[in-house]
Amino acid sequence: GESVGLHLPTLSVQEGDNSIINCAYSNSASDYFIWYKQESGKGPQFIIDIRSNMDKRQGQRVTVLLNKTVKHLSLQIAATQPGDSAVYFCAEPRTPYSGNTPLVFGKGTRLSVIA
Amino acid sequence: KAGVTQTPRYLIKTRGQQVTLSCSPISGHRSVSWYQQTPGQGLQFLFEYFSETQRNKGNFPGRFSGRQFSNSRSEMNVSTLELGDSALYLCASSLASGGATDTQYFGPGTRLTVL
């Protein structure tokens, strides 16, 4: 079935290095993706989104890249800080009238920042 | 603008009891979705409400129910609690602006423990 998945369950990076978290999706018609950050004991927090008419979108210290050819997106975090330690999810909102779940999540990647 | 709020934040119940969780969406948001998050199953969609009507439903037993009020606030109820219902219950709201894919914003969650 259709899914949005993560390549790696855990990622450890040195403080100050760049982090790259990957996500693959299977539905070639998918047109909108969101990255969420979930810290321990908290709900998922919106980080950045991207629509299929874009290949790249930048935020503050974060960049999302979308490769529609291979159905892959990635979240890049520049100069990773201890506060970036969290679980990161890619998610795909679905059209609400389609009868689908409104938001399909991958299982998440746990990012650990080593001071 | 205030974010999504959920009450209570923590709850301990025993098997067989029932529980009601509450969610107040971001002001102006008309759609409220509920998710269950467990370490083993990740984030699973429960149901979505829009204009006081359940618009979508996930694959959960009938013990899980919900409703939405005219001010968009929502409640979910779990009857005859089982040990496996222990989880973080997340509420998310979105504008539901007219059928297009929509960004969902999450509350902090209610941590339910069933003993």
Side-chain angles (χ1 to χ4, degrees):
Chain A
E2 297 172 353
S3 65
V4 181
L6 279 293
H7 286 308
L8 293 172
T10 60
L11 177 66
S12 295
V13 297
Q14 281 297 134
E15 182 179 357
D17 287 353
N18 296 336
S19 303
I20 300 176
I21 300 170
N22 297 304
C23 184
Y25 61 95
S26 58
N27 181 6
S28 56
S30 299
D31 65 353
Y32 181 44
F33 299 93
I34 301 173
W35 281 99
Y36 289 94
K37 170 187 179 183
Q38 186 174 22
E39 296 174 270
S40 181
K42 298 183 179 180
Q45 175 190 359
F46 174 92
I47 303 173
I48 192 168
D49 59 0
I50 189 167
R51 294 203 178 264
S52 60
N53 61 351
M54 304 172 73
D55 296 324
K56 178 179 179 179
R57 188 159 191 221
Q58 287 185 290
Q60 191 171 17
R61 285 199 307 116
V62 294
T63 301
V64 57
L65 300 177
L66 176 61
N67 186 329
K68 295 178 283 294
T69 303
V70 296
K71 291 182 281 189
H72 178 271
L73 65 159
S74 65
L75 176 71
Q76 300 179 1
I77 304 173
T80 311
Q81 302 169 0
D84 296 326
S85 294
V87 176
Y88 291 81
F89 296 94
C90 61
E92 179 196 351
R94 297 287 178 86
T95 306
Y97 303 115
S98 65
N100 292 326
T101 173
L103 194 61
V104 176
F105 281 92
K107 289 201 182 297
T109 292
R110 180 173 299 280
L111 174 65
S112 297
V113 181
I114 305 164
Chain B
K1 194 182 264 192
V4 178
T5 58
Q6 291 186 245
T7 56
R9 292 294 314 279
Y10 302 92
L11 209 47
I12 299 175
K13 292 284 188 180
T14 56
R15 279 181 297 174
Q17 286 187 309
Q18 68 93 26
V19 66
T20 299
L21 312 181
S22 180
C23 171
S24 292
I26 292 171
S27 177
H29 283 195
R30 299 166 65 194
S31 168
V32 173
S33 298
W34 289 90
Y35 298 83
Q36 181 195 67
Q37 187 176 34
T38 60
Q41 300 296 320
L43 276 150
Q44 293 188 288
F45 171 67
L46 281 155
F47 25 66
E48 183 210 3
Y49 287 88
F50 175 76
S51 291
E52 302 177 64
T53 301
Q54 188 180 86
R55 187 159 67 175
N56 281 304
K57 188 178 188 304
N59 218 12
F60 278 80
R63 299 185 297 108
F64 292 81
S65 63
R67 59 178 175 167
Q68 186 181 34
F69 302 95
S70 58
N71 61 358
S72 294
R73 191 177 70 84
S74 177
E75 288 181 347
M76 68 162 281
N77 185 277
V78 188
S79 63
T80 319
L81 284 166
E82 300 176 0
L83 294 178
D85 297 333
S86 294
L88 181 66
Y89 289 88
L90 292 160
C91 165
S93 74
S94 66
L95 273 171
S97 51
T101 48
D102 221 356
T103 304
Q104 295 204 342
Y105 296 90
F106 285 82
T110 294
R111 170 73 62 187
L112 172 65
T113 302
V114 182
L115 302 176

